[in-house]
Amino acid sequence: MAIECLVLGAGQEVGKSCVVVSIGGKRIMFDCGMHMGYLDGRRYPDFSLISGTGDFDSALTCIVITHFHLDHVGALPYFTEVCGYQGPIYMTYPTKALAPLMLEDYRKVMVERRGEEEQFSYAHIVECMKKVTPIDLKQTIHVDKDLQIRAYYAGHVLGAAMIYAEVGNIAMVYTGDYNMTPDRHLGAAQIDRLHLDLLITESTYATTIRDSKYAREREFLKAVHKCVAGGGKVLIPTFALGRAQELCILLDDYWERMNLKVPIYLSAGLTIQANMYYKMLIGWTSQKIKDSYTIRNPFDFKHVCSFERSLVNAPGPCVLFATPGMISGGFSLEVFKQWAPSERNLVTLPGYCVAGTIGHKLMSGKPTRIDLDKDTHIDVRCQIHQLSFSPHTDSKGIMDLVGFLSPQHVILVHGEKPKMASLKEKIQSELGIQCYYPANNETVFIPTTQNVKVDATKKFIKSCSGGDSNIALDNPCMSTCSLSGYEISELVRDEKLAEGILMMEKTKAARIVCEDELLQILGVEQHTIQFAHCFPVDLSNRKQLLHHSGGCSRQSTEEASSHYVVAKDINPSTSYTVLQLLQEKLRNQIKCKYILMASDHLKIDSVQIRVCLDEDCPYRLNQNRSSGGTTIYFCCSWSMRDEKLAKKCLSAIKDLDLAVQEAPRTE
C-alpha cells in the first residue's frame, strides 16, 4: 500500500497551495489556493488532473483548508461554484469567519478596480462558505467510517491549523503554514507526538535562520522612527489579517512609550472589520493576549485610526498599513505610486513576497524604475526596508518539527527550489528521513507499512520459536494469545519456520493458525500429496566410509572395493554415519539450521531422507551402478509445498561423494 501525493500547487514555488493525497482509498485535497503573481491560467491549480471528466465529487473524499490566506483558499469559490465540487469542506471556525473577507476584498480589487474578468462573484463566495463545516482544535472529525482528521494549532495567523489525517493504520500530517516561535498576538505551533508515515511541510524559509524577535522588532522601530522624524511617510504593505495586527500592537506600544504624535493609519474597511473578528476570537490568540484581555483588549489601539483616500497626499509624516501585501495591486499599489518618487519616504516589507509581485522586485534589489505595463512606470527613489516579520517558521523550526514527529517520509512544499534541495539534503543526512520536493503537477508515491495486531494459536507460536523452551505458554486455558507483527518477528528465528495461515472471520479477531489446525477448524479431512524418489549415489572411498562407521564386514577389502553395497553390507551404524555426513552438507549448502536427525532418517519440514535398505523399494530408479566404487541408495520423500527445498536436498545428496573423499576420485 502507498500514499499517492499529487502536488497541484506550491511545488518548488510559493503560491496556490494545493496538494491532493490518496491514502487508504480516500482522496483528500489540502488547501485550494491561488497564485498572487499570475493573472493567466497559472493563477489556479490544474483541477483537470484530479478528474478528467469533471466529476470532482466522486474524485475527492473531502477538502481541508488550513487558513484564510489567499494562496491557500483563493481558488475555493471557483472550484466549488464554477467547477462544481459539492463535497465536504473543512476549516477552523476563525478561518470560516475570515476567509470570506479576504476573498471579497480580492474580488473587488481585481474586478471593480482593475477591470479584470470576474472569476467568481460575491454570491459564489457566500454559497461556497455554506458548504463549509467548521472544526475546532484537536477535535477528531470522522469524514466517513474510514477517514478521520484532526486540527492542531499552527500559529502563523488566527485560526491556522496543521491537519492530521488517518485511514486505518496509515497516518500523515499536512502543516499548511506554521510558526514554531510565538509572537505578540499568536502562540507557537503545537502538535502531539504522532506516529506518521508522511509529513508534508512548508519550506518558505528552508535555509534561513532568523535573528531573535526582539532584534528584528528594534530594527523595524528604528527605521520607522527615523523616517517619520525626518518628515517622511511610511508605507507598510500587508494583508489585512495577521501581520497588520502584529505590527499594530508593536507600533501602538512604542508610540505610547515614546509619546509620539505622528498618526498611524489602517486602510479603511477590511482591516477595521478584521480587528473586530480578532476581538471576538480572542481564544485563538497567544496566552499573553488572553491574560491582558481581562484588563484591556489589545486590539483596541490608542494610536491607530482609519485612513481616508484624501489623505494620500496630505502634508506631514504618517505610517500607513495598506492592503494587499506584496504590493500585488489594490490600495497598496495606489499609495506606492504616489510615495515611491520621494527620497524621504519609506516602504518596509515585513514578510515574504511572491515572485511576480512588485514587493518581490523591491526585495530582489532596489530598482530605480518599475514598469507596470507598456504605458505606465513608477520612479522609485524612496527607501526600501526589508524585515523578516513573516509568520512562517525558519529552517531551524522546520528541522525541529521534523525531528519531533520523526515521520517515515517528508515532502517539502511552499518553497523555492534551490533552498528546498538544500533542506532535503539536511533532513536526509541529519535525521535519516527520506525527503522529496516535487514540482507542480508531479506525483510522489510514498510506500507504507501496516502492522496489524492478530491472535495466534499456542501451536503456531511454539512453531515460531523453533522449539525454544523459554517460551512460557503452559497455561492450559490459553488456546490463543495476541501478538503484534513486531513481537512475532522477535520470536521467529527463521522465516521458513514462521509459516502459518491468517484466518479472518466476521465478528471475530483475526488469528494465525497452523495448517493442520485450519483443517480441524473447517472440519475437512486432510489429503496429502507426497512425492518420493529412490536413487543410487556412488561413494568411491568405501573403505574409509566403513572404517569411519566401524561397520566393516569380514569380506576382504579388495573384494569389497570391487562390488556395490547391498542391504547386507550396511548396518545401522553405517547408515547413521552417512546421514551425519549428509546433515553437515545440508547445513552448509542450503543454510538450514533446523534439521531433525533421527536414528534412521533426516527431516526438514516435510522433506524426509533415509538410507534405503529395501532392494524392492517401489520408488527406486533402475540406473546402472558403477563397478569401481560404493553405491548407496537414498530414499527421499516430500510434500508439494516443499518442492523447492526437496530439489536442493536432492542436489546435495548426489554430490555427497565429494564430502566423504579425502583424495580425488579415481575413475
Side-chain angles (χ1 to χ4, degrees), residues 63-65 76 87-93 95-96 128-136 139 141-143 149:
I63 297 175
V64 187
I65 303 297
L76 187 62
I89 305 170
Y90 300 93
M91 59 181 73
T92 63
Y93 285 91
T95 302
K96 184 176 181 180
C128 173
M129 289 299 119
K130 288 180 181 179
K131 298 178 175 67
V132 173
T133 300
I135 61 176
D136 212 337
Q139 176 188 2
I141 300 294
H142 293 274
V143 179
I149 60 173

Side-chain angles (χ1 to χ4, degrees), residues 115-127:
E116 291 191 12
E117 181 181 352
E118 186 173 72
Q119 298 292 316
F120 53 82
S121 65
Y122 175 72
H124 286 155
I125 297 173
V126 173
E127 290 302 312

Side-chain angles (χ1 to χ4, degrees), residues 330-350:
F331 188 54
S332 61
L333 178 57
E334 291 182 29
V335 175
F336 179 73
K337 290 178 184 177
Q338 300 294 323
W339 292 3
S342 174
E343 295 177 354
R344 289 197 303 175
N345 297 335
L346 169 69
V347 175
T348 181
L349 300 162

Side-chain angles (χ1 to χ4, degrees), residues 154-274:
H156 188 64
V157 293
L158 196 70
M162 299 178 178
I163 305 299
Y164 170 81
E166 178 185 312
V167 179
N169 287 331
I170 306 175
M172 62 158 292
V173 163
Y174 174 85
T175 66
D177 295 347
Y178 62 100
N179 197 352
M180 293 294 284
T181 55
D183 56 29
R184 287 178 173 262
H185 79 293
L186 294 174
Q190 299 175 17
I191 191 168
D192 296 334
R193 194 181 295 275
L194 304 165
H195 297 286
L196 302 178
D197 294 281
L198 173 64
L199 172 67
I200 304 178
T201 175
E202 69 135 309
S203 53
T204 313
Y205 292 104
T207 58
T208 301
I209 297 179
R210 290 197 292 259
D211 295 332
S212 72
K213 181 182 71 171
Y214 301 106
R216 286 179 276 133
E217 288 180 347
R218 284 196 303 269
E219 185 182 348
F220 169 74
L221 293 171
K222 181 180 178 181
V224 172
H225 196 166
K226 181 180 178 182
C227 178
V228 296
K233 301 178 187 295
V234 180
L235 171 63
I236 307 175
T238 181
F239 292 105
L241 302 160
R243 291 310 87 191
Q245 286 71 31
E246 175 76 8
L247 296 176
C248 278
I249 292 173
L250 178 61
L251 286 175
D252 197 59
D253 179 65
Y254 183 76
W255 253 234
E256 182 73 13
R257 287 188 287 110
M258 302 300 293
N259 195 27
L260 298 179
K261 304 301 181 183
V262 175
I264 303 173
Y265 295 115
L266 284 172
S267 55
L270 179 58
T271 307
I272 303 299
Q273 192 177 6

